[in-house]
Amino acid sequence: VYLDTLGKPTCGVGHLLTEEECRQYNVGDKVSQRTRDNWLDQDAQRSWDAAVQQLQDLNIDNLEFIIALGSVNFQLGTRWMNKFPSAYRALGNKDYDEAIRQVSTGSGRDGQSKWKEQTPVRVNDFVEAIDKLK
């Protein structure tokens, strides 16, 4: 168990520990491979299911974009749109340049979003996927 970039207890492949799991595990604890694999399976399925729903909600018919949405859901959580409501609204309005601007800029270093500051490769991947929707 380790602390992520925001200081939240995490384990395995980016599994954010629930309150219950935090009572069971402390930072530095070892977690079995089986438990980590189960968390990965559950987190990946939850992210994929959310991506399918978001693709429908956004009325986007590009099935390749589901991979980008799945990745965003996995990293930021299935309610990522609460962190980027203007970007999500722009995606729904098919204003892809605005969606790109919203996920890229913000209160982070040099005017970039904090998300881009922390994980620039992932944001760039999402930006490229949005750009392909044009």
Side-chain angles (χ1 to χ4, degrees):
V1 178
Y2 61 94
L3 296 178
D4 70 3
T5 58
L6 299 177
K8 296 179 180 181
T10 306
C11 187
V13 184
H15 174 75
L16 187 65
L17 270 61
T18 64
E19 286 183 29
E20 181 181 327
E21 292 163 350
C22 283
R23 288 190 291 273
Q24 185 176 359
Y25 301 105
N26 296 309
V27 172
D29 284 354
K30 302 285 185 202
V31 177
S32 74
Q33 183 68 47
R34 183 176 181 178
T35 297
R36 288 180 284 139
D37 288 346
N38 285 338
W39 285 342
L40 178 58
D41 288 345
Q42 292 167 4
D43 292 347
Q45 187 63 56
R46 189 173 15 262
S47 298
W48 184 261
D49 292 344
V52 169
Q53 184 61 54
Q54 291 160 15
L55 200 69
Q56 292 173 344
D57 294 346
L58 294 168
N59 196 28
I60 294 175
D61 60 5
N62 181 323
L63 293 180
E64 290 180 22
F65 193 62
I66 197 169
I67 296 168
L69 285 173
S71 179
V72 171
N73 280 295
F74 191 88
Q75 184 189 15
L76 298 180
T78 59
R79 302 298 304 159
W80 68 270
M81 69 284 292
N82 293 343
K83 298 172 186 169
F84 292 95
S86 297
Y88 196 76
R89 188 170 35 259
L91 285 170
N93 291 334
K94 310 232 183 290
D95 187 350
Y96 302 126
D97 289 329
E98 179 63 16
I100 289 169
R101 190 176 74 74
Q102 289 295 325
V103 298
S104 300
T105 60
S107 60
R109 187 179 64 244
D110 298 327
Q112 61 190 347
S113 68
K114 289 184 180 180
W115 180 31
K116 187 172 183 180
E117 181 180 336
Q118 293 168 354
T119 54
V121 172
R122 291 189 184 201
V123 174
N124 288 336
D125 288 347
F126 193 47
V127 164
E128 287 178 17
I130 295 170
D131 200 46
K132 289 179 182 177
L133 293 173
K134 295 180 186 179

